[in-house]
Amino acid sequence: MKNQKLTYRFHDPNPPGVAVAYLLKVLMEVNAPKVEQAIREAMSAGEAEEKIEQESQEQDEAVYEPEEFEEEEESLSQGWEMSMTT
């Protein structure tokens, strides 16, 4: 026996714009949990990036403090001058 191919036909008496709006509404409702999850993941990823940036800025500030370097340079140059005169 030969398998028959099923063919479906839908008759929609509404104008195409109404049908599209209805389909869009249905698809949005169905995919709402996925969209919410994607938003949550994006927010947590953004927060993680902000935290990493903030930590790296804090480390950069801790490593580079111009005032300390100026004081060290002065003491080194004074020590060099003292050793040259003696």
Side-chain angles (χ1 to χ4, degrees), residues 7-72:
T7 305
Y8 296 97
R9 292 187 185 150
F10 297 95
H11 176 69
D12 187 8
N14 296 318
V18 174
V20 168
Y22 180 74
L23 288 172
L24 180 62
K25 179 182 173 186
V26 168
L27 292 173
M28 287 176 61
E29 287 178 10
V30 169
N31 289 317
K34 291 179 184 178
V35 171
E36 289 174 1
Q37 181 64 28
I39 291 171
R40 284 189 197 109
E41 289 174 1
M43 288 177 62
S44 65
E47 290 173 356
E49 288 177 8
E50 287 178 9
K51 185 177 180 181
I52 291 170
E53 288 177 13
Q54 189 178 29
E55 289 174 355
S56 67
Q57 286 177 352
E58 289 173 359
Q59 288 177 352
D60 290 345
E61 290 173 359
V63 170
Y64 178 72
E65 294 181 10
E67 295 172 3
E68 291 180 11
F69 288 123
E70 290 173 4
E71 291 175 6
E72 289 178 9

Side-chain angles (χ1 to χ4, degrees), residues 73-86:
E73 288 177 5
E74 288 176 11
S75 64
L76 288 175
S77 63
Q78 288 175 358
W80 178 258
E81 289 173 4
M82 291 172 72
S83 64
M84 292 291 286
T85 57
T86 56

